Amino acid sequence: MKVLVVGGGGREHAICWKLAQSPKVTELYCAPGNGGIGQVAACVPIGATDIEGMVRWAKENAMDFVVVAPDDPLALGMVDALEAAGIRAFGPRANAAIIEASKAFSKELMAKYHIPTAKYRTFTEEQAALDYIDAQGAPIVVKADGLALGKGVTVATTVEEARQAVREMMEDGKFGASGSTVVIEECMTGPEVTVLAFADGETVVPMLSSQDHKRAYDGNQGPNTGGMGAFCPSPNYTPEIARRCEETIFRPTLAAMKAEGRPFNGVIYFGLMLTPDGPKVVEYNARFGDPETQPLLSMLDTDLMDIFEACVDGTLGQMDIRWKDGAACCLVLASGGYPLSYQKGYPISGLEQVPEWATVFHAGTKLSNGVYTTNGGRVLGVTATGDNLNQAVARAYEAASPIRWTDMHYRTDIGKVWVD
Ligand code: AMP
Ligand code: GLY
């Protein structure tokens, strides 16, 4: 099969790395890809949100299957456009990707189908939002409705902080149109766990549980990022909690989407909080998480191409998906200054000294004259497996130790703050 993966980060490198191991995949392409993805797939210079360009290229080059990984092209309807052109595509259609693209939609869905989540109200008028905050008091959570690169959420500890967040979104247009509607939520407490699941519109099959680290600095300090590291499985996710999540969240969500005429095919990401009242949904994403995908796919034994086809064909219920025992950890090496301002273009040294038992997924690199240089905020995701979480974490740090570039930054506590 000729397969195209859309996207160009660490998640897409992990997807390509796993697909390249499938005997079914004879030709593998990635658009736009990045320096490191070039090790396993041919990179095609088409932007991930260029729907027309992508469909045209896929058609002209007779792709048998396209995997759409990032949120933007999913929300823009890339899967719909590929299907309309007669190309099989993995990922939700736009009418299902809305579960991530609009928090107002996902909150209404959960309310209608009694899926546990934080109490909330949606506002399109600033004064009403401010009055509600005054009435509720702090702590309280303010969210931009639309996609905001994971940065549209303020967990406010004071009323003033919450009011400020509303003003930035609704008055100053900090997140553009994404912030013209805001969702204001009750603040939940408890450990966070993420569960990604494969879905074929009807059946939902959870992967191992996982956790990422969103803050830039050690001890969960500093600004929110796309994720500074991740590991799987999560020690917080016991078999009893898993059973409750399946019964009260995973299966009801798939059934709700189907009942709404928006069947969900692809990967659905459940961001969960294990509150004193049981597991509740913090957020849904309509795609693989980044960097959660890097450790997860490192633990997957089953052929990923088989799973993708089953999700598209509606045959997931007949599949036996297998995972390795033990644990995996991905340590993100980032540019100094990320997620604020940072320099690109530094040569990366030490890659050839990384032990062969680890995998270096490239998130933002360029290959120029045989040398990898930095080309983004998150640059590399060094990923290792182990018999248990502690060993996987230690091995990820050990494998990353030879890698250097000017101002390289990483957290030293990945996998160690899972109880917070
Ligand atoms: P989100 O982008 O919706 O996942 O939110 C980002 C982060 O904000 C989450 O990972 C949580 O740590 C926190 N968060 C979001 N909603 C709530 C809530 N209702 N209560 C407490 N924390 C929250
Ligand atoms: N790591 C969080 C996300 O992909 O949304």
Side-chain angles (χ1 to χ4, degrees), residues 125-403:
E125 283 185 19
E126 184 178 346
Q127 194 51 49
L130 295 174
D131 291 345
Y132 183 71
I133 288 170
D134 289 342
Q136 293 295 310
I140 194 157
V141 180
V142 180
K143 300 185 175 186
D145 176 52
L147 298 174
L149 295 171
K151 293 167 194 117
V153 176
T154 301
V155 181
T157 49
T158 64
V159 165
E160 192 36 51
E161 199 186 336
R163 291 177 64 101
Q164 180 62 26
V166 168
R167 281 196 291 264
E168 281 175 9
M169 285 174 201
M170 303 190 89
E171 230 172 88
D172 310 343
K174 193 170 173 187
F175 301 106
S178 289
S180 58
T181 299
V182 300
V183 172
I184 301 183
E185 279 190 5
E186 153 205 18
C187 189
M188 301 185 287
T189 55
E192 283 187 64
V193 176
T194 296
V195 177
L196 280 70
F198 296 109
D200 71 355
E202 184 99 39
T203 303
V204 56
V205 180
M207 305 185 206
L208 297 177
S209 60
S210 60
Q211 277 181 246
D212 77 343
H213 300 266
K214 289 199 170 70
R215 301 288 186 148
Y217 311 127
D218 284 6
N220 289 339
Q221 301 298 309
N224 261 326
T225 70
M228 294 298 293
F231 58 88
C232 68
S234 163
N236 291 323
Y237 195 70
T238 61
E240 167 57 19
I241 290 173
R243 193 187 54 75
R244 266 184 92 165
C245 287
E246 294 224 20
E247 272 171 21
T248 65
I249 297 174
F250 306 159
R251 288 202 290 265
T253 299
L254 259 280
M257 291 297 278
K258 191 173 172 219
E260 293 291 307
R262 301 169 183 271
F264 192 101
N265 297 68
V267 167
I268 181 160
Y269 173 121
F270 299 94
L272 306 170
M273 198 168 270
L274 308 180
T275 77
D277 304 329
K280 295 189 181 178
V281 176
V282 178
E283 64 161 346
Y284 292 116
N285 290 329
R287 53 175 175 81
F288 277 108
D290 189 342
E292 293 90 336
T293 302
Q294 290 83 315
L296 281 168
L297 294 187
S298 301
M299 295 291 285
L300 179 64
D301 263 340
T302 307
D303 186 326
L304 186 59
M305 195 63 230
D306 285 343
I307 303 177
F308 283 169
E309 289 196 279
C311 289
V312 172
D313 298 343
T315 54
L316 198 54
Q318 297 154 33
M319 274 206 81
D320 177 24
I321 297 179
R322 302 217 170 150
W323 301 88
K324 295 185 203 316
D325 291 330
C329 174
C330 170
L331 167 66
V332 170
L333 305 180
S335 296
Y338 172 76
L340 307 172
S341 70
Y342 53 86
Q343 300 286 317
K344 297 183 194 173
Y346 293 122
I348 303 168
S349 67
L351 282 169
E352 61 296 337
Q353 289 160 51
V354 173
E356 96 299 326
W357 44 257
T359 313
V360 181
F361 294 117
H362 290 230
T365 67
K366 218 160 132 171
L367 184 61
S368 12
N369 300 323
V371 177
Y372 287 110
T373 57
T374 64
N375 193 37
R378 290 188 290 179
V379 177
L380 300 172
V382 182
T383 307
T385 56
D387 294 339
N388 53 49
L389 179 58
N390 284 343
Q391 194 187 52
V393 170
R395 281 159 61 94
Y397 277 95
E398 182 192 337
S401 62
I403 302 174

